[in-house]
Amino acid sequence: MKAALFTLALLLAGHAPALRAQVALPPLEARVTDLTGTLTAAQQSTLDEKLAAFERRKGAQIAVLILPTTQPEDIAQFGIRLAEAWKVGRAAPDDGAILIVAKDDRAMRIEVGRGLEGALTDVTSSRIVNDTIAPLFKQGDFNGGVNAGLDQMIRVIDGEPLPPPDQAWKRERGWKGPGQLLLFVGIALFFVLQRFFGRGAGAAILGVGGAVAYYKFTAEFLNSAIAGVIIFLIVRFFSFDHFLSDDDEDDDRRVYRDSGRSGGFGGGWSGRSGGSSSRGGGFSGGGGSFGGGGASGRW
């Protein structure tokens, strides 16, 4: 009996790491998630902007996670569990990738979506991890290492033929919420600018502002310019003054009542759902799948 208990104790001791709870997966709310406070807010913002611009241009998604440790799992096991939960990348081409840094473990990994395994091969990912990121991490330059690693990943993915970004999805993401607010703000500015600056100057100001706002939320330069011109022409050659006269009070009520029944000015913005989505102004994956491709390394 004592021998059996001793053997059982040895088995439990050997499997002690496996009995420890797995590290909880953080929610995907931003392209760069730092749970260690290693990166400053400005550094995170710069990296996020880089990845957002890449996604707008290429369609693929890259996310970064810096956490203290992945123990009791090794970083490869943790990486596939994280990838399956976050689902970074679009569902059809599976064009997502995640750079994971376990700071206390001095370990890192690039997790690669199925659709990028032909470009970000295991060998290429290993070179990025060990030849580009690791030397900078050894010097304590974590921001520089992450930044350089992302630059290499972006350069490699840029060479991979992928479906273009879904412009209709960008319109939905950009205008479903902020766009409606801007619509009401624009209507209010219509009256203010026309009253204080005159119709011509007010139309020019509102046209430029509308074009900038449209580009901010859609990243479409040509359509933004067209929208600015349309806004300018509407404000320049149309006025609500006749709605406000006493003689036309009944007509005024009828016009506003009819416009409210038909959905207001300019209708609404809608688009097909595709690629990734952004809920509540945050960031989320688009349904990409992962098969364990990528590479790990240490510094």
Side-chain angles (χ1 to χ4, degrees):
M1 176 63 70
K2 291 182 178 180
L5 292 175
F6 181 72
T7 302
L8 179 60
L10 289 177
L11 290 173
L12 290 175
H15 290 80
L19 298 177
R20 290 165 51 193
Q22 294 177 325
V23 174
L25 298 178
L28 179 61
E29 298 176 340
R31 293 175 176 83
V32 180
T33 303
D34 180 8
L35 304 180
T36 64
T38 299
L39 304 177
T40 66
Q43 290 170 342
Q44 290 186 63
S45 178
T46 299
L47 293 172
D48 187 273
E49 290 173 4
K50 178 201 295 283
L51 296 179
F54 170 68
E55 183 181 345
R56 287 193 298 268
R57 174 172 53 81
K58 187 69 174 179
Q61 286 185 324
I62 301 177
V64 177
L65 172 62
I66 305 177
L67 75 167
T69 180
T70 65
Q71 297 300 318
E73 296 174 290
D74 65 43
I75 197 167
Q77 292 173 323
F78 175 85
I80 193 62
R81 187 162 64 92
L82 180 73
E84 290 173 350
W86 279 11
K87 298 186 181 302
V88 174
R90 295 172 293 178
D94 297 320
D95 53 355
I98 309 173
L99 173 59
I100 307 168
V101 178
K103 190 175 180 182
D104 293 348
D105 301 336
R106 302 179 70 88
M108 54 187 153
R109 178 172 178 80
I110 295 177
E111 201 69 48
V112 180
R114 296 181 187 274
L116 296 179
E117 289 179 352
L120 271 175
T121 63
D122 293 355
V123 173
T124 300
S125 298
S126 179
R127 288 175 178 171
I128 294 174
V129 165
N130 295 296
D131 298 343
T132 300
I133 303 177
L136 291 168
F137 278 11
K138 288 178 181 178
Q139 299 172 17
D141 186 2
F142 290 95
N143 178 61
V146 171
N147 197 42
L150 292 177
D151 284 343
Q152 293 279 25
M153 293 170 68
I154 289 172
R155 188 175 297 111
V156 171
I157 297 173
D158 266 333
E160 184 75 357
L162 294 171
D166 189 340
Q167 300 297 331
W169 159 70
K170 288 182 179 179
R171 287 194 295 272
E172 180 188 33
R173 180 177 70 170
W175 285 94
K176 186 180 178 183
Q180 294 174 356
L181 176 61
L182 287 173
L183 178 62
F184 288 109
V185 173
I187 293 173
L189 287 175
F190 183 101
F191 292 101
V192 175
L193 294 175
Q194 184 173 274
R195 183 178 183 86
F196 289 97
F197 295 97
R199 191 177 300 179
I205 295 173
L206 197 56
V208 172
V212 172
Y214 191 103
Y215 183 79
K216 171 69 175 178
F217 289 105
T218 66
E220 299 174 0
F221 180 79
L222 180 59
N223 288 342
S224 300
I226 294 174
V229 172
I230 292 175
I231 293 172
F232 169 79
L233 293 176
I234 291 175
V235 178
R236 177 64 180 84
F237 296 106
F238 185 74
S239 174
F240 287 153
D241 289 346
H242 65 282
F243 288 150
L244 306 179
S245 64
D246 295 335
D247 295 338
D248 295 329
E249 183 176 357
D250 293 336
D251 292 338
D252 170 64
R253 292 171 180 167
R254 184 167 58 255
V255 169
Y256 280 110
R257 183 171 61 251
D258 292 343
S259 68
R261 189 178 297 126
S262 63
F265 299 98
W269 286 84
S270 64
R272 294 174 286 106
S273 177
S276 63
S277 62
S278 181
R279 295 185 287 271
F283 170 72
S284 66
S289 64
F290 290 71
S296 305
R298 304 181 66 84
W299 74 92

